[in-house]
Amino acid sequence: MASFDLVLRGGTCVLPWGQEITDVGVREGRIAAIGDLRSAAAANEVDCRGLHVLPGLIDAHVHLRDPGDPAVENLSDGTRAAVLGGLAAVFDMPNTAPSITDRERLDWKRDYLGGRAFCDVGLYVGASMKNIEELASLELQPNVCAVKVFAGSSTGDLLVADDASLEAVMRSGRRRICYHSEDEYRLQARKPEFTSGMPHRNHMIWRDVECAFLGTRRLMALARKTGRPAHILHVSTAEELDYLKDFRDVCTVEVLLNHLTQTDEAYDRLGGYAVMNPPIRDARHMEAAWAAVADGTVDVIGSDHAPHSRAAKERPWPDCAAGLTGVQTIVPLMLDHVNAGRLSLSRLVDLMCAGPARVYGVVGKGRLAAGYDADFTLVDMKKTRTIEESWIVSPCGWTPFAGHRCTGWPVATVIRGGVAMREDEVIGAPQGQAVRFAEARGA
């Protein structure tokens, strides 16, 4: 008789080849069997009848602010939020205080995860004008998902704005580089046109379509010139999405949950709690984002979880901080989009599992298949629930989606065979580990 550490019984499993009601057996943290396991013995069982079993969902774009201000966000609370929201792994951005830009800080961050992270974590390393020559080595360090380049709108020392320096970054290493694509020169040239206290919707006027599109055109020209693959983060305009279809040889595409869910009406309703970079735009761009999801242009959907204090968000525009929370709410909102018919559950799994695995070269995650990590997101597609700020565990305590009623909700998160969350309760001590990547040493 076969025996397993854990068996998920009778769920509708979203497999790479389709959906199937079946059992999943887990042994030593990995998927050991998929099929009829009614006669198998199991140390632990989860009854999944009536639920959908997804491979563990990944949010490849979060800012956990650690090191930084723990009163706003920290690694422990941010990853607790992730598992409560149905995520098995997150990839953490480098614009912390101090930034993750050298080997010493990277080693510190990797060690810091132990005993603090509730889900698995991948680490970005930041490009700066001071570390360009070291990037080829830094991108190969264990658990590094990618180099992150702020080509516009950076914090601290993380800004690489001119073409010569961007080309030098592209020639230092070989892995896919992730970009915040806004044109810094256009941003700074137009900044004097806007003064403190103007309406918040001026954010999308200052950081207009041309600001994003110009940045992306520049990056694509350099990517073609150098042959270095690019991943354009949070693509927000119809113009970019159409343009990038001609650069699939060198480019992959991320779109944010926010740009699929919010339009410019949010500025009047939420004020500073709608301010993010690149900005929320009008309905034409949201419609283009959904069309790009439908035709396969989009490879990854992320949250760009970027908390700030309420005080920082409530300053007058443009002095208010830019960035929105999202790591705890992305899965319920995307499930709601599935139920609304905007995409299939299989496409959601592609965008939040297989897509991140493919773009970043993740080892052992991204598919519900034998031999892969036993990461699962269990969802009840019929459960209806309203997002409430009392549910948010990030210390900042707010969400721009408060009051949004979702149909479809994550009811359990399993990470490497251990149940990390069940029915809104985080279970046990933090067991998160650093994510492995194929091209990083130690993988």
Side-chain angles (χ1 to χ4, degrees):
M1 177 188 296
S3 64
F4 299 94
D5 302 323
L6 171 70
V7 172
L8 307 182
R9 296 201 182 275
T12 302
C13 295
V14 182
L15 305 166
W17 49 89
Q19 296 186 22
E20 183 178 331
I21 297 176
T22 190
D23 305 328
V24 182
V26 173
R27 195 180 293 127
E28 297 181 353
R30 291 169 38 175
I31 298 171
I34 299 172
D36 185 349
L37 304 178
R38 282 176 293 182
S39 63
N44 295 292
E45 297 187 7
V46 177
D47 183 355
C48 298
R49 288 174 296 177
L51 303 178
H52 283 76
V53 180
L54 318 183
L57 297 177
I58 299 168
D59 187 346
H61 190 160
V62 306
H63 300 260
L64 297 181
R65 307 293 196 209
D66 206 340
D69 183 358
V72 170
E73 183 62 290
N74 58 76
L75 187 135
S76 180
D77 287 330
T79 55
R80 180 186 285 110
V83 300
L84 278 168
L87 294 168
V90 298
F91 299 171
D92 190 27
M93 286 292 176
N95 55 327
T96 47
S99 303
I100 308 301
T101 55
D102 58 36
R103 177 72 178 271
E104 181 181 1
R105 292 174 187 171
L106 189 59
D107 289 346
W108 173 86
K109 187 68 174 275
R110 186 186 305 106
D111 293 342
Y112 185 74
L113 298 177
R116 292 183 174 88
F118 284 88
C119 68
D120 288 355
V121 180
L123 302 174
Y124 287 89
V125 63
S128 75
M129 296 297 289
K130 298 178 181 179
N131 73 350
I132 292 175
E133 293 184 358
E134 286 76 49
L135 291 175
S137 171
L138 288 171
E139 73 171 5
L140 297 178
Q141 296 305 306
N143 317 116
V144 170
C145 61
V147 169
K148 169 68 179 291
V149 175
F150 289 86
S153 182
S154 77
T155 56
D157 59 350
L158 295 179
L159 178 64
V160 183
D162 66 282
D163 283 4
S165 298
L166 286 167
E167 182 174 343
V169 168
M170 293 182 192
R171 294 193 184 281
S172 182
R174 65 174 186 268
R175 294 180 68 193
R176 190 176 300 276
I177 301 175
C178 295
Y179 294 96
H180 180 125
S181 176
E182 289 183 286
D183 188 81
E184 184 68 12
Y185 300 104
R186 181 173 175 82
L187 280 175
Q188 295 306 321
R190 301 179 72 233
K191 192 173 184 178
E193 301 174 24
F194 303 93
T195 57
S196 183
M198 293 177 72
H200 291 87
R201 64 172 46 249
N202 281 280
H203 197 65
M204 71 174 187
I205 299 171
W206 173 36
R207 313 182 88 97
D208 63 354
V209 170
E210 181 59 17
C211 176
F213 193 18
L214 177 57
T216 295
R217 294 198 304 272
R218 289 174 56 206
L219 288 170
M220 288 301 95
L222 290 167
R224 278 271 172 84
K225 179 180 180 181
T226 62
R228 185 72 181 270
H231 184 54
I232 305 298
L233 300 165
H234 42 47
V235 178
S236 63
T237 71
E239 286 77 359
E240 289 173 282
L241 289 165
D242 184 59
Y243 179 78
L244 289 170
K245 290 177 173 63
D246 292 329
F247 290 86
R248 299 301 284 176
D249 55 319
V250 292
C251 187
T252 51
V253 173
E254 176 196 78
V255 165
L256 298 185
L257 174 278
N258 304 76
H259 293 127
L260 293 167
T261 309
Q262 297 172 299
T263 63
D264 55 328
E265 65 80 26
Y267 293 112
D268 301 325
R269 181 167 50 87
L270 298 173
Y273 293 99
V275 172
M276 61 179 291
N277 301 326
I280 294 166
R281 305 190 190 276
D282 62 39
R284 177 175 75 89
H285 299 288
M286 185 173 76
E287 291 164 5
W290 278 114
V293 167
D295 70 15
T297 301
V298 179
D299 299 277
V300 177
I301 286 176
S303 74
D304 195 3
H305 174 73
H308 296 277
S309 69
R310 289 185 184 273
K313 294 299 285 181
E314 291 169 3
R315 296 179 194 133
W317 187 87
D319 308 313
C320 59
L324 306 178
T325 63
V327 74
Q328 195 170 339
T329 52
I330 184 172
V331 176
L333 287 159
M334 287 306 303
L335 295 175
D336 192 53
H337 285 310
V338 170
N339 272 314
R342 298 186 183 100
L343 77 168
S344 68
L345 196 56
S346 293
R347 179 64 169 134
L348 172 58
V349 167
D350 182 46
L351 291 162
M352 294 189 67
C353 291
R358 181 181 69 252
V359 167
Y360 294 88
V362 179
V363 173
K365 297 185 186 296
R367 290 167 67 89
L368 207 170
Y372 280 70
D373 286 357
D375 294 352
F376 310 104
T377 302
L378 276 54
V379 302
D380 183 343
M381 293 303 294
K382 296 180 180 179
K383 185 173 183 177
T384 299
R385 180 170 168 180
T386 300
I387 294 172
E388 300 173 347
E389 288 192 335
S390 60
W391 178 60
I392 300 299
V393 299
S394 293
C396 67
W398 58 268
T399 168
F401 298 107
H404 190 110
R405 191 164 180 80
C406 297
T407 302
W409 200 268
V411 295
T413 308
V414 180
I415 301 173
R416 285 172 284 101
V419 179
M421 181 277 287
R422 186 112 186 240
E423 298 293 351
D424 237 19
E425 180 184 354
V426 175
I427 297 171
Q431 298 295 323
Q433 297 179 5
V435 177
R436 297 175 299 148
F437 298 90
E439 293 192 62
R441 295 192 188 109

